[in-house]
Amino acid sequence: MAMISVQNLVKERKYPFIFALAILLVSATIFFLYSNNLQSLTFSLGDLQKSNPTTSKPSPNATISPDTTQKVDDANDNTKSDDSNDSNSSNDYENNNTTITNIDDNDHNNLLIVDLKIKWVACKGPVAVDYIPCLDNSQAIKELKSRRHMEHRERHCPQPSPRCLVPLPNGYKVPVPWPKSRDMIWYDNVPHPKLVEYKKDQHWVIKKGDFLVFPGGGTQFKDGVTNYINFIEKTLPSIEWGRHTRVILDVGCGVASFGGYLLDRDVITMSFAPKDEHEAQIQFALERGIPATLSVIGTQKLTFPDNAFDLIHCARCRVHWDADGGKPLMELNRILRPGGFFVWSATPVYRDDDRDRNVWNSMVALTKSICWKVVAKTVDSSGIGLVIYQKPVSSSCYEKRQESNPPLCEQHDEKNAPWYVPLSGCLPRLPVDSMGNLVGWPTQWPDRISSKPPSLTTLSDAEEMFIEDTKHWASLVSDVYLDGPAINWSSVRNIMDMNAGYGGFAAALIDLPYWVMNVVPTHMEDTLPIIFDRGLIGIYHDWCESLNTYPRTYDLLHASFLFRNLTQRCDIIDVAVEMDRILRPGGYILVQDTMEMVNKLNSVLRSMQWSTSLYQGQFLVGKKGFWRPK
């Protein structure tokens, strides 16, 4: 059969047929281009949703642009469930359909997106607004056999990880900027008045109109926290705040005024306390812009390395140091640097009733058994007293003890990473280098930030790698991060580096008005001792679980090549939900990873109505909005 020419069709005016043929040709061309583009899509919906086999009705397309409202007048109904964990399972949303979009905005934003249609739900229950999955697992807490050693304040993570989004408090506002935030925060952002009433005579925190105000008082700070800080250094001048003593731990920190005011002395403090021991104290601290984390000395080791802190402080922190054979105090000994100080300000130091005398006598026996010596003991003009102990700098005292009780740890015992590791009943040996010499104190601050860390391995290329890493981050931060991506750095105070390495990112920001919580993932190389040696702070964490912090406590999350290894063990959706939980509305993420990981993470974030962009073809910048599911 002869082929009908287009010319004949035109002569015969068969326009409908010509139109149909044209549509067919255009469709074939589009299909060909689309097929080639689709081949570059290196992940499937199953990769994103591998742990969610349930189904539900597909939701309508999510709006991409985030809600820019900066005050929330109506919170979600959080009273439908008595247990925050009962309604937080992944059964509440589903990914049945996807839309593939390739955005190309002058090569500035070139992201291949799987537009996930997830029916996000709000977390429910009485603690929904302040929900911390691994600390609010009420079902697991009910099943505990004992609460004698604070087991109910330790981590009990729900399985599977909850996939709900934490609602905002009524009237939530953009936080007060630093440095004003140290002294005042919005009440509506942390609407917890119990501590105001409980400590009203001690001036921890006071409610004034729309604000909570922090006048710098405390149980042991009768003349104010500044006078107390000066009193400690006057008692023992060798402490030398901000030069010899740079990194400290404040146990049972209250609202963290001690750590907050030490910032003026170039001291960085890791303040910690258990959740709800005094309502919202750690939440107050982080809202103020002061470093803090939720933790407890219970049955497990703290998530810090050995020999980390220059000084540990406890002002009426209500820890029974001699409990369980003295394991709580031995845990402080583990994380205290050789030659470091323990400042204990408590009634057994300066009162002489029967109870306090018995506690003091127990403390004398316990500190002697672990070779701590008293280097100062005094009482100030207000009647408040303190004692300062020092950890030994040599092993001679351990060898001279009449009884090896507690015993020295065996070498193999010291290899355990402190993540779900029980408290030890032995004393870690003092650290030595490859030549058997005891590791000394780091260089004085501020040279400490760039000097060779004492804990750096002695391998031939280790120091060169450290120097190159420091140069890399200094250049990247100054030339790219601070000058390029669409981040309003003036709104940033609390930063978390989710995969900190040597702490180079934090070191590059050291002269700016930010602080960085350096996280070393438990599945990565252990570099946290190096971070502390540099005069920075950090913790261990497994990002396949929820973090021990309140919602809305960080302004910026930074991650450098974290996800390519992490997603071999857990779902990127669960990690993204946790990032959404801990980031403040209006906060940012800054991620560098493989394009496969960047595309995956970007798709999940956009389903939560974050705004995102790709900078220089490799840095994912995301901004969390004020949108919350109804």
Side-chain angles (χ1 to χ4, degrees):
M1 181 181 294
M3 183 178 294
I4 301 176
S5 69
V6 174
Q7 185 178 7
N8 291 335
L9 289 174
V10 172
K11 289 180 179 180
E12 294 175 15
R13 297 189 177 183
K14 295 187 177 181
Y15 297 116
F17 185 84
I18 295 173
F19 180 75
L21 181 61
I23 293 295
L24 181 61
L25 290 172
V26 172
S27 299
T29 302
I30 293 174
F31 178 79
F32 176 77
L33 293 174
Y34 174 78
S35 298
N36 287 339
N37 213 12
L38 188 60
Q39 290 175 2
S40 65
L41 182 59
T42 58
F43 61 98
S44 67
L45 183 59
D47 293 327
L48 287 166
Q49 196 75 3
K50 60 189 177 184
S51 65
N52 183 18
T54 60
T55 59
S56 63
K57 294 181 179 179
S59 65
N61 291 337
T63 303
I64 296 302
S65 301
D67 184 359
T68 57
T69 304
Q70 297 190 346
K71 180 174 179 179
V72 177
D73 295 316
D74 294 315
N76 298 302
D77 180 8
N78 303 321
T79 60
K80 295 180 180 178
S81 172
D82 294 329
D83 189 340
S84 63
N85 299 308
D86 291 343
S87 57
N88 294 335
S89 71
S90 58
N91 295 338
D92 291 318
Y93 32 82
E94 162 63 12
N95 267 338
N96 278 344
N97 300 311
T98 62
T99 301
I100 301 171
T101 309
N102 197 345
I103 296 178
D104 188 352
D105 183 10
N106 296 325
D107 294 326
H108 177 74
N109 186 358
N110 190 9
L111 288 166
L112 189 61
I113 300 168
V114 173
D115 191 9
L116 304 178
K117 296 173 176 61
I118 301 178
K119 183 184 177 183
W120 291 110
V121 297
C123 301
K124 299 180 177 63
V127 297
V129 171
D130 296 328
Y131 181 46
I132 306 171
C134 292
L135 299 182
D136 290 327
N137 189 349
S138 58
Q139 184 59 40
I141 293 172
K142 289 176 184 177
E143 295 174 357
L144 290 174
K145 296 180 180 179
S146 172
R147 297 191 178 190
R148 181 181 176 186
H149 299 298
M150 301 290 285
E151 291 91 338
H152 59 298
R153 301 294 189 200
E154 295 180 322
R155 292 173 62 83
H156 305 282
C157 296
Q159 294 296 333
S161 297
R163 288 186 179 175
C164 60
L165 302 186
V166 174
L168 300 179
N170 287 329
Y172 183 86
K173 306 174 184 68
V174 172
V176 175
W178 181 265
K180 289 183 178 180
S181 62
R182 187 187 70 173
D183 301 320
M184 58 189 300
I185 62 175
W186 293 110
Y187 173 77
D188 285 343
N189 287 11
V190 193
H192 300 296
K194 286 186 179 180
L195 201 59
V196 176
E197 292 299 317
Y198 185 67
K199 297 290 185 180
K200 60 184 177 181
D201 297 328
Q202 298 175 16
H203 303 290
W204 284 29
V205 55
I206 299 169
K207 189 175 186 302
K208 287 187 177 180
D210 294 334
F211 296 95
L212 291 171
V213 177
F214 301 86
T219 307
Q220 302 295 95
F221 314 150
K222 290 188 176 181
D223 294 329
V225 66
T226 300
N227 286 331
Y228 178 79
I229 289 169
N230 292 335
F231 172 56
I232 292 175
E233 190 175 40
K234 183 179 179 181
T235 300
L236 189 65
S238 59
I239 283 178
E240 199 176 359
W241 296 126
R243 283 188 56 77
H244 182 73
T245 300
R246 161 65 184 174
V247 184
I248 75 173
L249 179 72
D250 189 12
V251 182
C253 62
V255 295
S257 290
F258 181 67
Y261 281 79
L262 274 170
L263 290 167
D264 293 338
R265 309 290 293 271
D266 278 339
V267 174
I268 186 76
T269 305
M270 177 74 80
S271 299
F272 87 86
K275 183 179 187 292
D276 290 339
E277 194 66 18
H278 287 125
E279 186 184 36
Q281 54 189 341
I282 295 299
Q283 196 173 16
F284 285 152
L286 289 163
E287 184 74 14
R288 296 173 71 185
I290 300 172
T293 187
L294 287 161
S295 191
V296 64
I297 303 177
T299 67
Q300 299 171 359
K301 290 183 178 182
L302 298 171
T303 56
F304 310 121
D306 294 0
N307 312 301
F309 292 97
D310 305 338
L311 181 146
I312 299 176
H313 172 258
C314 160
R316 296 282 290 275
C317 54
R318 299 197 299 169
V319 177
H320 300 292
W321 298 115
D322 60 341
D324 197 17
K327 286 184 178 179
L329 194 67
M330 282 189 278
E331 177 62 2
L332 291 196
N333 178 78
R334 179 185 72 83
I335 62 177
L336 184 62
R337 191 178 297 280
F341 302 106
F342 175 52
V343 179
W344 188 38
S345 178
T347 55
V349 177
Y350 55 91
R351 289 183 185 171
D352 199 31
D353 57 61
D354 289 342
R355 178 184 176 279
D356 286 322
R357 192 183 306 114
N358 288 336
V359 173
W360 174 253
N361 291 336
S362 296
M363 193 67 165
V364 168
L366 181 56
T367 53
K368 183 179 179 180
S369 72
I370 63 175
C371 292
W372 284 12
K373 64 178 180 180
V374 175
V375 291
K377 183 182 179 185
T378 188
V379 177
D380 69 6
S381 58
S382 68
I384 298 297
L386 58 82
V387 61
I388 304 177
Y389 298 95
Q390 187 174 29
K391 181 178 175 177
V393 294
S394 76
S395 301
S396 60
C397 175
Y398 297 152
E399 298 165 357
K400 293 178 181 178
R401 292 180 302 165
Q402 294 181 350
E403 295 183 15
S404 296
N405 184 24
L408 291 176
C409 299
E410 298 295 332
Q411 294 289 351
H412 63 81
D413 291 339
E414 300 172 10
K415 302 298 182 182
N416 292 330
W419 182 250
Y420 291 118
V421 175
L423 287 179
S424 176
C426 62
L427 295 177
R429 300 169 189 271
L430 298 182
V432 295
D433 60 22
S434 60
M435 304 298 292
N437 300 315
L438 289 171
V439 175
W441 197 271
T443 307
Q444 297 276 61
W445 185 263
D447 295 337
R448 180 171 171 174
I449 192 73
S450 55
S451 301
K452 179 184 177 181
S455 59
L456 189 68
T457 177
T458 56
L459 294 176
S460 59
D461 60 345
E463 186 171 3
E464 182 180 351
M465 290 175 58
F466 172 77
I467 293 172
E468 289 302 315
D469 183 81
T470 301
K471 291 179 179 178
H472 163 75
W473 284 108
S475 175
L476 185 61
V477 168
S478 63
D479 299 341
V480 178
Y481 284 2
L482 296 178
D483 194 40
I487 294 176
N488 178 13
W489 287 94
S490 65
S491 67
V492 172
R493 170 61 184 170
N494 302 350
I495 299 176
M496 177 169 286
D497 192 351
M498 299 173 68
N499 185 22
Y502 291 148
F505 171 66
L509 294 170
I510 200 65
D511 294 325
L512 299 172
Y514 318 126
W515 68 270
V516 180
M517 180 70 82
N518 294 282
V519 179
V520 172
T522 55
H523 68 287
M524 303 291 281
E525 179 186 356
D526 182 7
T527 54
L528 198 51
I530 293 172
I531 289 171
F532 275 92
D533 281 350
R534 301 187 74 176
L536 305 169
I537 58 171
I539 55 175
Y540 296 104
H541 183 61
D542 183 351
W543 284 110
C544 289
E545 297 182 5
S546 177
L547 190 76
N548 278 10
T549 192
Y550 283 92
R552 304 172 300 278
T553 45
Y554 285 88
D555 302 303
L556 188 145
L557 304 179
H558 174 259
S560 177
F561 294 101
L562 167 69
F563 297 96
R564 60 183 177 183
N565 293 319
L566 184 67
T567 52
Q568 296 176 12
R569 301 189 299 110
C570 55
D571 199 317
I572 201 169
I573 293 180
D574 296 322
V575 185
V577 168
E578 180 61 6
M579 294 170 73
D580 179 89
R581 188 184 72 85
I582 66 179
L583 195 66
R584 289 170 170 171
Y588 301 91
I589 66 159
L590 182 53
V591 173
Q592 184 181 24
D593 218 296
T594 64
M595 281 309 300
E596 179 186 3
M597 291 296 106
V598 166
N599 284 324
K600 286 183 179 183
L601 180 62
N602 180 66
S603 298
V604 182
L605 296 178
R606 289 174 72 94
S607 77
M608 295 187 286
Q609 302 199 32
W610 287 37
S611 59
T612 60
S613 63
L614 191 68
Y615 184 71
Q616 291 190 352
Q618 57 181 320
F619 300 103
L620 177 64
V621 180
K623 183 177 182 180
K624 176 182 172 181
F626 282 71
W627 174 83
R628 295 286 86 182
K630 297 296 183 183

